Every structure is written in structure tokens, then in C-alpha cells.
Amino acid sequence: MALEIRPDGRREAAKPARDSSAASRRPGALLGPLRRWAGALALACVGTLLTPGDAHARPATRPTAQHPATNRSAKSHAHANEAVATRSRTVSRTSAQTRAGGRLARPTGRAAASASLRGGTRRAAQGLSNAYQAPARDGTYRNGGVVLSPAPSRPAAPGDSASEETVVEPDTTASTLPPVQQILARGSSALQYPAALRGFFQQLRSREDEPGNGTVRVMQWGDSHTAADMFTGELRARMQARFGDGGVGFTYAGHPFAGYRILGSGRNQSGGWRTLGTHFTDLGDRLLGLGGVAIEGYRAGETATLDAPCLTFTLQYLRQPGGGGLQVSDNGQTVANLSTADANAAPVQSGNGNALPPDASTPDADAAIDNPSAVPDDAAQDTAAPTGTGNATAGSGGIFHYNCQAGSHHFTFTTGGGGPVRLLGSVALQPGITWEAMGINGAEAPLILRWNQPLFQGYLAGANPALIVLAYGTNEAAARWTGEDYRQTFTRLIQMLHTTSPSSSILVLGPGDRSIGSTYYTTTYSKVGRGRRARRVAHRVAHRVYTPYRGTDRILNAQRSVCSTTGLCAFWDWRARQGGFGSMNRWVGAGYAQPDHTHLTGTGYRALADALTADLLSAYSAFGADRNGSPTLP
């Protein structure tokens, strides 16, 4: 057996000689060499013809715009198969045109062959790709009035390559309608039944006549539109610019859920607190206080903080059997040591003289909760809070009042052990007006009726707000409410609020416009490669179409009907102020609403809040009152 010595010094058996005659008999065996030889000859000929200075070379011409798919360089063609299979959208590469001696050279070899390969399909794919522009801050792509969402990933089928893109089809009517800014600026007032706001307007008039006359409190309950505090934050800023900064008012304790914030304040909490009230299918004991959300700690040393400017501060907590101790500090100094035990347990004396006793002078908005007459008859009462403790009860709820110096304050609440401690919220006030936000993501208006009513009504009666605002309807429209069932339930809610706080005006904000998305798919195919190496590539396009949602009508009409028939509340048509039915698509295209076609962007919420402020102040300007306090509305 013959041995062959390799270059590295190792020996191995020599391979037998190949039978060229047998190989030549295989069909197509010589096609490969012949193709390579023909390609080399063609390259040599073209190179000779286009040599600089050749008399037969083509004259220099100005380059014309060509589609990248029809003029691709040889280098880019080598990676074409991999690129088409891995990218989610078909994006043809820009060709690299080479120049020789100042003359435009034509593509040669495989580049020339690829120029005619499925040019029509690639041009169509490139046309879709060119529709995409740089992403906006919210992660979407905009082209004119069209919002283009990023494509979802889809695995390719075995043996096949696939790319996928999502195209949100444009609203064909958007170009014929006025811009959002013009609608908001020129739109008529959407405020209906303004006579129900007499009490609120009277307090605003008193506030302007006597700037130091207490705090006018506006309290808004709502869903996710309220929870983010972009809408209510702008309302707060606008109203306080005219009537004075009354502080942030009521806020949830700590940081109960992701995304919660109140502009003009800061908050934090340690990791041992449990949030209650955000799971609607399991509200537990339903003792959730004024805002429907609470936090509860079970170990000593858990902390929650609040940073806010104020002159008076109130902490609301739950008094329960076996409740633990709680320490309150302001700017690092302890101002109170409280017991959260039930009403039969003796409260712990405060060590700070600034804590107000129940009979001390406090703003009217907070003092009423110290009055046992403000507590429902069937609620437990504690009328023997010792002087200096600041402890009192409303139902099974406790409060701690504290007078503080003007300016910013850093409040810290620390559990002392001995039992669970549940914090229901806090109130930071100063002279002026507030616009307080109590929003829960996904909430519906009837949720308020599921909270413990003696506890909720006791705190509401003590707050005695000048204006109660209800901003619900988006989630109800997607639920199984019938118009009549919702109207009856909403009537019960309005009557309960009016009975609990008779002097409070009530304003209902109807749901905004909304569009529902649906998806359909189209698939096109293109061929990549040539000969036996050619393969088919699928391009799957998901078309996302948004249609205005009619389900909002029954909720909007039910709310308006309650305001009309009861005469207890005013109604503000959010959807009409947006531009009416079907306006959401236009708001998305203008950057005023998010791609989900339900929520607004910060710009949109601020613009809509400015519209509501303008409508309220317009009605307030039409409000007249003589010095005897007789209100008149047109």
C-alpha cells in the first residue's frame, strides 16, 4: 500500500486516482467548469471594453436614480439570502456603483444577473420599507397621518425563509378633517347642565374675593386616565395659577403600584408593604379608605415617605384589632407615635406639641372628620381622643392632624411592630385650590360602591370637597354592562355621593373616543438565488386596522341621562371635545394619543385638560352672584 507524506510530517495512505472518464460520463459534470470559464471570459471582455482611454468605451453619463433591488453590487449579492431570511422587514440594500476613469461602470458577473431577479417583487417590498421613518419617542413609526407599529416576530417554516412586517393602514378621512389643535381651540364648550356647579362656583368666587379664605378642594376619582396624573396634573396647574396653590391634597400612601405619581410631590416605600385594592376580584375586607387603595405592613421598621409642600398635614390609617405602632416624622424629627389598635384600645400619647387635638383650629376641609356627627350612625366612633395625640376615628378609620411650617416637608411613616399597620392615604394642604387625583388602572365607577361604605363615607364627609369629579367609562364600555343596568348603578353612585356630602358639586367626565384594532395578513413570495440554489422567500405583512368603537355610546348616553334626570351633576362630553366619534385615529396620527388608540400621550392629556379648564372658566365667568350670595346661571 502506497504511503503519502503530508506537509506536517504525518504519513497516511495515498488516495486512489479519480476515474476522469467515469466522472465525465455523469450528466452535467462539465457544466460547472464551463460556466466558470464562460464567466471568466465575459469578465475579461467587459473589462477590456471599459478600460480607461479606450476609444470604444461608453461616454460618461450622469447617474440616474435606480431602485436598489435592480442595481446591486456583487458583494451585497453574496449576503442577500441571509439578509432576507433574518430581517423582519424586507429592506433592499443600496447598490455600490463603481467608477473607472470618470466613467460609470456597469455591474458585471453575478451583480448583472441579480439585477433582473424578481425585480417587481423586490420593488414592492422596498416600497413598503420606504414607508417607515425614524421611530418616535413612543416607539412607533409615523409617515404623515399613518402610525406604523413594529412587526411581531414569526418563526419561518422549515425549509423556507420568511420576513414579516406590520403596517397600520391610514385613516382615509384624516386629511379632510381639521387638525386636532384647531378642534380644541375652536370647539364649542362640551359642558352640559352647568347649573349643578353653583356651589363650586360660589366657593371660587369667595376664594377670589378673599384670597386667604381656606382651601377649595376638587377631588377626582377615575381610571387610568386619572392614575397617571398627566390630565389631573395639568388641571391642577391651570386652576392653581388663577386661584392659588392649595397643595397636592389627598394622595395614596407610599408607592402602591407601578406608574403612580402625583406631580408636585415625591414618594417612596420599603419592600415589606402589601398593596390592597388594586385586584378588583379580591378586595379582601374592603377597608380601603377614601381612594380605594391602601398599603399594609406587618413587620417593624417598614417605611413609607411623602415629599410635599403644605401648612397642614393629615395621615389617614386603619384602626383595627391588634394594630401595631406607627411613628410619624417631619424632616427627620419625630412628631408623633401612634397606635393603630381599634377604638377600644388606648392611643399612644404624642411626644410633639405641634400635633393638633380634635378641637384645635384646622382648615374646614379636614376638621369635619373630627366631628362624630360626620360619621355614619352605624359606624364605630371614638370621641375620647386625648389632647395632643391627633387620634380620632371615622368608622374604623383613624386620622392624625399636624400643623407644620410653610414650605416643603419630608414625612416618614415607620411601623413599630406589635401588629399590622394599614395606611389609607394622606392629605397635604395650604390656602388655594387643589385638584386631587384618585385613579386606579382598569377601574369602573361602580367599584366605589364596593368599598366599605361607612369608612369611605366618613372620610368623604370630613373632606367636604367643593367639587367631586368622576372620570370613568372607558372600562365599562368594554365590559358587559347594558345601558339600563349601568344607568341604574350610576344613579345609585351619584345619589350616595350627594347624600354623603350635600354641599359638594358633582361633575361627570364622559368617556373619550376609542378605536379597536383588528389584524389581517397578506403574503407575497420572491425567489432568491438561481438555479439549484434558488429558494422561495415568504414576505408576510400584518395589516393593523383601527375602527372607531361604538360600544362607548351606551355608557356615555347613560351617564348623560343620569346627570339630566337627577339634576345633581354636570356633564362634560370628553369625546365631543376630542372631535366626536372617530376622532381617536386623528389624535394618534397627530401624536396626541398612544398607539393603543385608547390612552392619550402627555401632549394629548395636557391639551384636553386645557380644554376642560377653558370650559369650566367660561361657565364660571357666566356665573353671577350678588353680595347676598344668590347665584345665577344663564
Side-chain angles (χ1 to χ4, degrees), residues 121-147:
T121 302
R122 294 186 179 179
R123 281 191 292 273
Q126 181 68 13
L128 289 174
S129 175
N130 287 341
Y132 288 85
Q133 297 180 352
R137 291 184 179 180
D138 56 5
T140 61
Y141 297 78
R142 289 189 172 87
N143 184 23
V146 187
V147 178

Side-chain angles (χ1 to χ4, degrees), residues 412-430:
T412 304
F413 319 110
T414 307
T415 58
V421 174
R422 185 180 301 187
L423 302 182
L424 306 177
S426 60
V427 182
L429 296 175
Q430 54 194 15

Side-chain angles (χ1 to χ4, degrees), residues 297-300 320-325 340 415-422:
Y298 305 92
R299 301 177 302 183
Q320 55 185 323
T340 66
T415 58
V421 174
R422 185 180 301 187

Side-chain angles (χ1 to χ4, degrees), residues 31 39 62 111 139 247 332 344 347 359 398 420 443 459 462 479 537 547 568 585:
L31 290 179
R62 182 177 181 181
N344 296 324
D359 57 351
Y459 280 124
V537 177
T547 306
L568 299 177
N585 290 349

Side-chain angles (χ1 to χ4, degrees), residues 230-300:
M230 288 184 284
F231 179 66
T232 49
E234 179 70 10
L235 287 166
R236 186 183 311 118
R238 290 290 185 178
M239 297 297 284
Q240 289 181 348
R242 175 164 178 177
F243 300 101
D245 186 353
V248 296
F250 178 90
T251 60
Y252 295 135
H255 194 271
F257 53 84
Y260 176 66
R261 64 172 185 174
I262 297 295
L263 300 179
S265 67
R267 63 201 61 255
N268 207 341
Q269 70 180 46
S270 58
W273 296 94
R274 184 168 68 103
T275 299
L276 308 173
T278 55
H279 300 286
F280 308 141
T281 58
D282 183 15
L283 295 179
D285 57 20
R286 301 183 298 158
L287 296 169
L288 302 170
L290 186 60
V293 174
I295 60 173
E296 190 166 48
Y298 305 92
R299 301 177 302 183

Side-chain angles (χ1 to χ4, degrees), residues 156-178:
D160 195 7
S161 298
S163 62
E164 183 172 328
E165 61 184 313
T166 300
V167 177
V168 177
E169 297 187 352
D171 180 8
T172 57
T173 62
S175 59
T176 64
L177 296 173

Side-chain angles (χ1 to χ4, degrees), residues 26-411:
R26 291 202 306 267
L30 297 179
L31 290 179
L34 286 174
R35 288 174 178 171
R36 289 193 292 272
W37 177 82
L41 180 62
L43 287 172
C45 294
V46 174
T48 302
L49 290 174
L50 298 181
T51 302
D54 195 337
H56 299 284
R58 298 178 62 182
T61 59
R62 182 177 181 181
T64 58
Q66 301 186 41
H67 196 278
T70 61
N71 190 10
R72 184 180 297 179
S73 66
K75 182 177 180 180
S76 65
H77 179 78
H79 302 285
N81 294 346
E82 179 182 359
V84 173
T86 57
R87 300 189 64 174
S88 63
R89 295 193 304 270
T90 305
V91 181
S92 302
R93 297 175 181 270
T94 304
S95 63
Q97 296 177 333
T98 57
R99 293 177 180 272
R103 297 173 177 84
L104 181 64
R106 280 179 147 185
T108 59
R110 291 192 176 186
S114 66
S116 60
L117 179 60
R118 296 290 186 268
T121 302
R122 294 186 179 179
R123 281 191 292 273
Q126 181 68 13
L128 289 174
S129 175
N130 287 341
Y132 288 85
Q133 297 180 352
R137 291 184 179 180
D138 56 5
T140 61
Y141 297 78
R142 289 189 172 87
N143 184 23
V146 187
V147 178
L148 305 169
S149 304
S153 59
R154 182 182 70 90
D160 195 7
S161 298
S163 62
E164 183 172 328
E165 61 184 313
T166 300
V167 177
V168 177
E169 297 187 352
D171 180 8
T172 57
T173 62
S175 59
T176 64
L177 296 173
V180 173
Q181 297 89 334
Q182 293 185 13
I183 293 175
L184 292 172
R186 301 177 183 176
S188 59
S189 174
L191 183 63
Q192 303 173 18
Y193 321 118
L197 302 179
R198 287 192 181 98
F200 173 55
F201 290 156
Q202 277 184 308
Q203 291 201 35
L204 290 182
R205 183 73 70 192
S206 299
R207 173 66 195 167
E208 284 195 311
D209 291 343
E210 301 179 17
N213 186 18
T215 305
V216 178
R217 297 186 65 178
V218 179
M219 307 183 73
Q220 175 170 325
W221 286 263
D223 49 26
S224 55
H225 297 297
T226 301
D229 198 44
M230 288 184 284
F231 179 66
T232 49
E234 179 70 10
L235 287 166
R236 186 183 311 118
R238 290 290 185 178
M239 297 297 284
Q240 289 181 348
R242 175 164 178 177
F243 300 101
D245 186 353
V248 296
F250 178 90
T251 60
Y252 295 135
H255 194 271
F257 53 84
Y260 176 66
R261 64 172 185 174
I262 297 295
L263 300 179
S265 67
R267 63 201 61 255
N268 207 341
Q269 70 180 46
S270 58
W273 296 94
R274 184 168 68 103
T275 299
L276 308 173
T278 55
H279 300 286
F280 308 141
T281 58
D282 183 15
L283 295 179
D285 57 20
R286 301 183 298 158
L287 296 169
L288 302 170
L290 186 60
V293 174
I295 60 173
E296 190 166 48
Y298 305 92
R299 301 177 302 183
E302 299 294 347
T303 60
T305 65
L306 171 69
D307 295 274
C310 63
L311 280 175
T312 61
F313 174 78
T314 303
L315 176 66
Q316 300 177 358
Y317 58 91
L318 181 68
R319 305 199 68 174
Q320 55 185 323
L326 178 65
Q327 182 186 80
V328 181
S329 64
D330 176 22
N331 292 333
Q333 296 184 354
T334 301
V335 297
N337 289 291
L338 310 174
S339 171
T340 66
D342 61 14
N344 296 324
V348 179
Q349 291 283 342
S350 169
N352 187 289
N354 289 332
L356 296 180
D359 57 351
S361 175
T362 58
D364 293 341
D366 283 333
I369 202 167
D370 286 330
N371 185 354
S373 63
V375 184
D377 295 336
D378 58 346
Q381 302 178 14
D382 179 11
T383 59
T387 301
T389 65
N391 266 329
T393 60
S396 57
I399 64 170
F400 164 72
H401 281 305
Y402 172 64
N403 251 359
C404 47
Q405 300 296 323
S408 299
H409 294 266
H410 176 75
F411 296 102

